Amino acid sequence: MIVRFHIDPIEQDQYEYRVSYEGEELFGDAGLDSIEECIVAATEGLGQDAVAAEIAFKSVVSGTYALASLALMSAQIADHALQTTTAIEEVMK
């Protein structure tokens, strides 16, 4: 199964995430210090059925990644999610 990580800022330098599958929320957490921490925590909470995850920061999907990539490149994936969302927000202004 391919899950989605919904990551959102909740206040200055604090983030929350939710993991969903086909629109149903599976689990989540709040109060993490970075987008990367959200990706790491969400990946660690996944069961055996998940093979990949879509990353959505502030509702903008930046990509779909195999679980191995999420574990090995979480910092780069977090940066990509932030850059993608920032670029979309600039165009939408």
Side-chain angles (χ1 to χ4, degrees):
M1 93 173 125
I2 298 173
V3 297
R4 179 174 285 182
F5 296 176
H6 306 267
I7 303 170
D8 292 293
I10 53 175
E11 57 185 64
Q12 184 81 17
D13 298 324
Q14 293 283 292
Y15 298 86
E16 68 179 354
Y17 75 88
R18 297 175 328 281
V19 177
S20 68
Y21 176 67
E22 293 186 351
E24 180 181 332
E25 188 169 321
L26 303 176
F27 62 93
D29 198 4
L32 289 94
D33 293 330
S34 68
I35 297 168
E36 181 183 6
E37 282 189 30
C38 290
I39 292 170
V40 170
T43 302
E44 289 174 352
L46 292 174
Q48 301 285 26
D49 294 336
V51 296
E54 295 177 338
I55 306 297
F57 179 59
K58 294 171 65 177
S59 300
V60 175
V61 176
S62 60
T64 304
Y65 303 91
L67 292 187
S69 296
L70 289 168
L72 294 173
M73 300 175 21
S74 58
Q76 294 91 334
I77 293 168
D79 287 341
H80 184 255
L82 177 60
Q83 292 172 7
T84 301
T85 298
T86 300
I88 297 296
E89 288 176 341
E90 285 295 317
V91 172
M92 300 293 289
K93 285 184 179 179

